Amino acid sequence: MSGELILIVEDERDLAETLEYNLERAGYRTRVASDGQQALRLSLEEPVPDVVLLDLMLPDISGTEVCRRLRQDERTRKVPVIMVTAKGEEIDRVVGFEVGADDYVIKPYSVRELTLRIKAILRRARADEAPAGSELVFGAVRVDTASHRVWLENHELSLTALEFKLLTTFIMRKGRVQTREVLLNDVWGIHAHVMTRTVDTHVKRLREKLDWAGVYIETLRGVGYRFKEEPELLTKPEP
Ligand code: CA
């Protein structure tokens, strides 16, 4: 069996064993780490995991710190992370997204719910692998990824290389929250915290160039941005 590999990071031994058992039954391969340091070590072993299931409260370093480090390492930068937290406060969610977690579940959760989340995240990760030389269409926006050209309805837009990458990243991850840090990582390829304003500036410019279709990009205050899941507007709204 060659299912995807899940790294389970969980210090509660019973829970770790239950997860291991159930995920293997669901067809996945697993690797288990019981603290943060071990998680970082095991995340770098070949093959690199396809998903990391990361408990927030660990005996040595916190789950958020583990996530931050995974995002800083070239080899694990793109591995989806599902944060597992016992606390459901909004603040934890925001913190999780800021360090680059892709999703979170709140303890106690059902194994069924968890496997559905894992499935969804693996599907999205696959969809993220940009199909080179294909066409992306979202509402009135059409992107030719081979020639790097973009149209709004029948009008061609003039985007910089960076704006182009930002737009394709947004479209490929439509419906998903993109924090400034994640965008900096994936679009600019840098990790500088001080430069998050740069993201805002470029998103603003991209939105202006998209004209009325700029509404496809939503701002989530204090968190980041999200490209709409579905285009509600297909043509320029009547004045
Ligand atoms: Ca724990």
Side-chain angles (χ1 to χ4, degrees), residues 10-11 55 57:
E10 176 58 68
D11 59 315
D55 186 26
M57 298 296 207

Side-chain angles (χ1 to χ4, degrees), residues 167-230:
L167 177 64
T168 52
T169 302
F170 272 138
I171 294 178
M172 284 188 293
R173 299 174 185 181
K174 62 183 181 181
R176 296 161 59 187
V177 178
Q178 303 299 314
T179 64
R180 292 172 180 82
E181 295 205 357
V182 164
L183 290 170
L184 267 180
N185 261 318
D186 298 351
V187 177
W188 279 258
I190 48 177
H191 314 291
H193 293 239
V194 289
M195 292 183 68
T196 50
R197 273 178 176 280
T198 306
V199 178
D200 297 334
T201 311
H202 283 86
V203 170
K204 185 166 177 278
R205 211 169 298 155
L206 173 62
R207 232 186 222 141
E208 283 163 6
K209 287 190 179 177
L210 288 174
D211 193 27
W212 63 265
V215 295
Y216 293 162
I217 306 172
E218 301 173 297
T219 303
L220 303 171
R221 271 184 62 197
V223 181
Y225 297 96
R226 181 172 55 202
F227 211 78
K228 283 186 187 291
E229 180 92 44
E230 297 290 340

